[in-house]
Amino acid sequence: MQTIFVMLKCLPGQAYQVADHAVEIEAVSEVHSISGQYDLMMKCYLDDGIDLGQFVVDNVQTLPGVTDTFTLIAFKAFT
């Protein structure tokens, strides 16, 4: 299992609508409203072998209202 975090910039006034669409994506575990340069942060779990870049391009960047993304790849989760 691969974990990525994707931060999204949205059109003004569209963050909540983008979040509503984002949570419908099967691989998306959580969507958070955040402060700073980006409006939302998504936590995604993807099966091994899935092309992470293709996932972001096909499923995240095409969400209505998204203007920019920034993706972080997680190496290890500590509990």
Side-chain angles (χ1 to χ4, degrees):
M1 186 71 62
Q2 304 174 90
T3 305
I4 62 171
F5 294 88
V6 184
M7 293 185 283
L8 298 88
K9 285 185 186 178
C10 304
L11 291 171
Q14 296 293 306
Y16 279 43
Q17 290 85 352
V18 171
D20 287 340
H21 285 97
V23 295
E24 295 176 3
I25 300 170
E26 184 177 342
V28 174
S29 169
E30 303 168 20
V31 179
H32 296 266
S33 176
I34 60 174
S35 64
Q37 295 180 15
Y38 291 85
D39 302 304
L40 300 171
M41 182 170 63
M42 300 170 37
K43 183 178 184 181
C44 306
Y45 294 111
L46 302 166
D47 290 332
D48 291 330
I50 296 292
D51 184 321
L52 303 176
Q54 195 69 51
F55 170 81
V56 172
V57 169
D58 290 346
N59 298 283
V60 180
Q61 292 179 345
T62 58
L63 290 171
V66 171
T67 61
D68 190 24
T69 61
F70 182 81
T71 303
L72 299 165
I73 299 170
F75 298 121
K76 178 175 174 55
F78 297 90
T79 57

